[in-house]
Every structure is written in structure tokens, then in C-alpha cells.
């Protein structure tokens, strides 16, 4: 329960900070974070494929 309260507190602080930035800054930050997540997901998918191939040998 405490973790949920802490998570909501951090979420509120982050959203409050974003509300004070101009829209263009928020959109650029969102694009950068989205790109980073896409690269991370791609690396994870490719890495799992190579690891699974080693297990079959």
C-alpha cells in the first residue's frame, strides 16, 4: 500500500512538472522517451532470439 502511495506521489510530481513546460518541450521529451523505449524493445527482442538459439544447440 505504501508503494502505491509513493508511486502516485511521484506520478503527481512528474505531471506537475510537465504542466509547467511549453507544449513543444513536452512533445520533444515524449518523442525522445518513446524512441528510447522502442530501441530498448528492439534490442530485447533481438537478444532473446539469439539466446533462444543458443539453448537449442
Amino acid at each position: 500500500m505504501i508503494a502505491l502511495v509513493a508511486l502516485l506521489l511521484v506520478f503527481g510530481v512528474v505531471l506537475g512538472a510537465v504542466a509547467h513546460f511549453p507544449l513543444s518541450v513536452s512533445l520533444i521529451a515524449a518523442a525522445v522517451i518513446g524512441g528510447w523505449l522502442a530501441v530498448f524493445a528492439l534490442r530485447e527482442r533481438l537478444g532473446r532470439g539469439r539466446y533462444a538459439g543458443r539453448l537449442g544447440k
Side-chain angles (χ1 to χ4, degrees):
M1 186 69 182
I2 292 175
L4 181 62
V5 171
L7 182 66
L8 288 172
L9 178 67
V10 170
F11 188 64
V13 169
V14 170
L15 284 179
V18 170
H20 295 289
F21 290 142
L23 181 61
S24 59
V25 173
S26 298
L27 291 176
I28 291 170
V32 169
I33 292 169
W36 177 72
L37 288 173
V39 168
F40 177 77
L42 183 63
R43 289 183 64 203
E44 283 292 313
R45 180 170 296 272
L46 292 176
R48 289 189 193 280
R50 280 185 268 159
Y51 182 70
R54 283 189 227 146
L55 288 177
K57 289 184 179 180

